[in-house]
Amino acid sequence: MRSERARTPLAAAIAAGRWIRSAAVDDERGRHWRPNPDLRGRTALTPEPASLYAGAAGIVLFFLELAAATGHEAYLEDARAGARYLAATWHEQRDPTLYHGLTGVAVALAEAGWTLDEDEFAEAAARAADHIVRTARPVDGGAGWSPEPALRGDGGVVLGLLRAAAVFGAPVYAELAAEAGARLARMAVPGHRFGECADLPTDAVTPGFLRGTAGTAFVLARLYAATGDRAFLNAARRGAGFVREVSTVTEEGVLVPHHLPHGRGLHYLGFCSGSAGVARMFYELYRITGDRGDLEWAELLARGVMRSGVPHRQTEGLWDNACQCCGAAGLLELFLGLWSATGREPYLAFSRTLADHLIARGWDPDGRGMRWYQAYRRVRPKEISADTGYMVGAAGIGAALLHLDAALRPGCSRRLVLLPDNPFSAIPVPAAALSDG
């Protein structure tokens, strides 16, 4: 049955937290969470006990936000137990990346250390960042960790190092980030990858965010803001120009192809490979340069989403999926961000529509809390699962709903926990609304 109590974004997030708690696994190292605690449940992914994408790092961030939203200390204890696990196991990570590896763990530990005032967690985050620095190696005439330039690869590591530099006041992190970014900036069109993904043709080019040009251009724009080196801005502009060139522009807005040349007519709408992610890149350029043409493109992408008929109508680019990565929760993050940036009420109204949709499709069949069943992979529509993690499951959906809850309380709005690739304000309301409050 559907949960009768989950009638508001906050209530749904609390119900999601209850289900995630049912997945807790405690041992001498701390706490992590099973990816799917349902009886005979199966995760949509290879289990990642610690990752930001689907494991403890993302769930720690969710519980920190749930504590801030409710004032309940018990959620801080959930986050503290998860952070202990991350602090005890970070050295086991072999993947350096943001979403699936050590960089994301370091981001979560730093946030937990600051929020919980625990030196143990902050020190573990710094040690993890030091390890990332030590493991950099020569790649394509520069520094890096892998041949993958996109946000899911070295681009995400660069963003994590820039955040670590700001948190810990350590220039060495920013210096290595700039060195690794220089390799990306030398690419004719940053972020192109051919044949790197098992589910794409071998000649595919991906303009999207998580594994394509838009996300790499975002990283380069952030490096320009950090360093003032115009080589980064020029490279970001080349990436943005490529995305503009291949996009479909109509009176209804802008849509971005999933991949080229074969997927030109396949338009994802979500964060990973579609409009919600690509709009972040254009907004980041606007935030840094003040060029209103970039803001216009971010809004054209948003218009394309709004006029597509989602979330009430499933499309090939937004199918039976609710999560942050490629579903409605990722769209909710975009529209809340645009509302906080522009104050335009249609964005807040559409955020409410997305949240109502998410709440309506959440399920609590056994009283253990709310979860979202979805087809994570578009190409496997009969593979339905519910997960606990941040980018793929209840923690990330709950976090998006908490962000709307904060936006609806301008008089007592709170700081959000935003990932390094989110360009919007951590206070999720327009400045004018804060002044009115």
Side-chain angles (χ1 to χ4, degrees):
M1 65 177 180
R2 297 189 189 277
S3 171
E4 291 299 323
R5 289 177 290 176
R7 298 182 182 276
T8 66
L10 180 58
I14 292 170
R18 189 166 68 251
W19 185 64
I20 294 168
R21 278 178 156 177
S22 75
V25 178
D26 292 313
D27 58 28
E28 68 281 358
R29 299 172 298 176
R31 177 176 301 166
H32 64 283
W33 291 266
R34 289 173 306 200
N36 185 342
D38 279 2
L39 294 176
R40 297 181 297 280
R42 296 179 59 188
T43 175
L45 299 171
T46 301
E48 298 177 345
S51 79
L52 190 59
Y53 197 89
I59 293 173
V60 165
L61 297 182
F62 166 67
F63 277 121
L64 290 175
E65 293 214 78
L66 193 56
T70 63
H72 293 168
E73 293 283 331
Y75 296 129
L76 292 180
E77 292 307 311
D78 290 303
R80 184 175 283 108
R84 287 198 189 101
Y85 176 84
L86 297 176
T89 61
W90 71 261
H91 61 280
E92 299 173 7
Q93 291 283 337
R94 297 295 177 263
D95 183 334
T97 63
L98 174 64
Y99 277 108
H100 297 282
L102 184 57
T103 298
V105 170
V107 167
L109 280 167
E111 186 68 33
W114 184 85
T115 304
L116 299 169
D117 195 22
E118 293 270 3
D119 291 344
E120 170 194 357
F121 303 145
E123 291 166 2
R127 289 195 300 272
D130 290 342
H131 181 77
I132 291 168
V133 170
R134 289 194 302 271
T135 55
R137 56 187 176 85
V139 179
D140 296 338
W145 296 264
S146 75
E148 172 61 77
L151 190 58
R152 69 170 186 169
D154 283 9
V157 180
V158 167
L159 290 182
L161 287 174
L162 289 175
R163 176 166 288 192
V167 170
F168 298 113
V172 64
Y173 301 148
E175 290 165 3
L176 180 57
E179 186 179 350
R183 172 173 69 92
L184 310 184
R186 288 192 294 270
M187 302 176 71
V189 179
H192 271 208
R193 296 305 292 167
F194 294 85
E196 291 294 313
C197 303
D199 57 341
L200 291 178
T202 56
D203 60 346
V205 177
T206 52
F209 196 70
L210 190 57
R211 59 183 184 183
T213 304
T216 310
F218 178 100
V219 173
L220 291 162
R222 184 67 58 84
L223 281 167
Y224 169 67
T227 66
D229 186 341
R230 292 195 68 85
F232 291 128
L233 179 59
N234 292 338
R237 286 286 182 211
R238 291 198 303 275
F242 171 76
V243 174
R244 290 176 191 254
E245 182 69 25
V246 301
S247 295
T248 299
V249 183
T250 71
E251 292 182 356
E252 298 298 310
V254 168
L255 295 171
V256 180
H258 180 264
H259 63 277
L260 301 166
H262 309 287
R264 184 174 288 275
L266 174 59
H267 301 121
Y268 273 32
L269 301 182
F271 159 82
C272 60
S273 301
S275 302
V278 175
R280 290 188 181 195
M281 180 266 291
F282 282 109
Y283 183 78
E284 178 74 352
L285 281 167
Y286 166 71
R287 188 182 70 84
I288 290 167
T289 69
D291 188 332
R292 295 197 67 84
D294 296 315
L295 178 60
E296 179 184 4
W297 262 75
E299 295 195 88
L300 285 171
L301 286 155
R303 185 190 304 171
V305 173
M306 295 172 75
R307 296 189 177 180
S308 69
V310 301
H312 304 300
R313 182 175 75 88
Q314 289 187 16
T315 72
E316 196 173 12
L318 192 77
W319 58 100
D320 184 19
N321 195 306
C323 69
Q324 284 261 4
C325 183
C326 35
L331 289 176
L332 177 53
E333 297 282 17
L334 169 66
F335 283 93
L336 275 178
L338 285 174
W339 179 66
S340 70
T342 67
R344 294 177 183 166
E345 287 298 321
Y347 296 143
L348 181 60
F350 195 67
S351 297
R352 290 174 179 267
T353 296
L354 290 163
D356 289 345
H357 168 77
L358 285 168
I359 294 169
R361 66 170 292 176
W363 285 84
D364 180 7
D366 49 17
R368 290 189 298 153
M370 183 171 281
R371 69 218 74 169
W372 285 264
Y373 293 96
Q374 62 181 5
Y376 172 71
R377 293 180 175 85
R378 179 184 63 84
V379 295
R380 302 181 189 175
K382 295 182 180 180
E383 186 180 89
I384 304 295
S385 65
D387 280 74
T388 56
Y390 197 95
M391 293 304 294
V392 72
I397 297 168
L401 293 170
L402 289 175
H403 296 170
L404 177 59
D405 176 72
L408 297 177
R409 303 171 190 268
C412 55
S413 190
R414 58 189 180 270
R415 170 184 173 270
L416 308 183
V417 177
L418 300 183
L419 301 184
D421 58 13
N422 191 321
F424 297 110
S425 172
I427 304 297
V429 293
L434 284 173
S435 300
D436 292 344

